[in-house]
Amino acid sequence: MLFAWALFPALLGLADSCCFVVPRSEWKALPSECSKGLRKPVRYVVISHTAGSFCSSPDSCEQQARNVQLYQMKQLGWCDVAYNFLIGEDGHVYEGRGWTIKGDHTGPIWNPMSIGITFMGDYSHRAPAKRALRAALNLLKCGVSEGFLRSNYEVKGHRDVQSTLSPGDQLYEIIQSWDHYRE
């Protein structure tokens, strides 16, 4: 459950560009075994969806983040959850590998040069909640202001860089309208 103190800056309007990111410790992530870093500032952001269950409350989103991580580490044998960040329909961003560790979200060409942001859920036939979209856009602004993303970063849909249906037709249509989207 999110700590009340973590929401305090948002209530005061102090979190305009940098949204609160739920740290790994708070969603009870397994320890990461990853060590390969990302060169900063990163130029590309790849948006995907998990194509699984969606979540709409902090408790259910924390559980969903754990489920995704457990599957990717224990079943697929990866060093951690594949994504740098996970977005829940509760409007929160969940820290995956974060801004500095290379993800395993989009294959060997794109992983070393991109941040992977996944929306928890299947967005083939429905759009994510507006608060989830706002959280993602705020995360991107934060990445620029903190020097993790280039100011001229490019957003790609997962399907733009790999043969997949991700991020789902509905989410893909939305991200194509974002200022930094490039096919």
Side-chain angles (χ1 to χ4, degrees):
M1 185 71 144
L2 294 174
F3 294 117
W5 59 263
L7 299 176
F8 190 68
L11 294 173
L12 293 177
L14 300 175
D16 290 339
S17 64
C18 283
C19 67
F20 172 73
V21 175
V22 179
R24 296 171 60 87
S25 60
E26 196 162 316
W27 61 266
K28 299 175 184 71
L30 296 171
S32 179
E33 299 168 4
C34 301
S35 59
K36 285 200 174 192
L38 275 173
R39 257 181 153 164
K40 297 174 294 290
V42 176
R43 180 173 180 178
Y44 300 102
V45 175
V46 177
I47 305 291
S48 65
H49 71 164
T50 61
S53 300
F54 77 95
C55 58
S56 58
S57 70
D59 286 340
S60 67
C61 288
E62 289 173 16
Q63 182 61 56
Q64 188 62 16
R66 286 191 297 273
N67 292 345
V68 171
Q69 184 193 40
L70 193 63
Y71 172 74
Q72 292 177 340
M73 288 183 79
K74 301 302 180 187
Q75 299 297 317
L76 300 179
W78 295 345
C79 61
D80 198 352
V81 65
Y83 315 103
N84 299 90
F85 298 96
L86 301 95
I87 308 289
E89 285 204 35
D90 62 347
H92 292 105
V93 176
Y94 294 83
E95 179 185 23
R97 296 187 187 193
W99 292 112
T100 61
I101 301 295
K102 180 186 79 65
D104 278 319
H105 47 84
T106 321
I109 293 172
W110 287 89
N111 289 336
M113 60 181 179
S114 64
I115 292 290
I117 300 174
T118 196
F119 283 72
M120 293 186 280
D122 186 336
Y123 300 101
S124 301
H125 304 291
R126 63 183 282 276
K130 286 187 171 127
R131 61 187 177 188
L133 297 167
R134 273 193 307 271
L137 290 169
N138 284 339
L139 178 68
L140 296 173
K141 286 180 194 169
C142 180
V144 171
S145 70
E146 297 294 319
F148 295 114
L149 289 177
R150 291 184 185 181
S151 60
N152 64 340
Y153 71 90
E154 296 180 26
V155 170
K156 305 269 187 201
H158 191 184
R159 64 177 65 178
D160 292 327
V161 298
Q162 227 175 14
S163 180
T164 180
L165 296 176
S166 179
D169 292 342
Q170 297 297 309
L171 179 54
Y172 187 61
E173 186 176 323
I174 291 167
I175 68 167
Q176 287 178 303
S177 71
W178 291 1
D179 291 341
H180 288 264
Y181 174 80
R182 304 290 181 271
E183 196 170 333

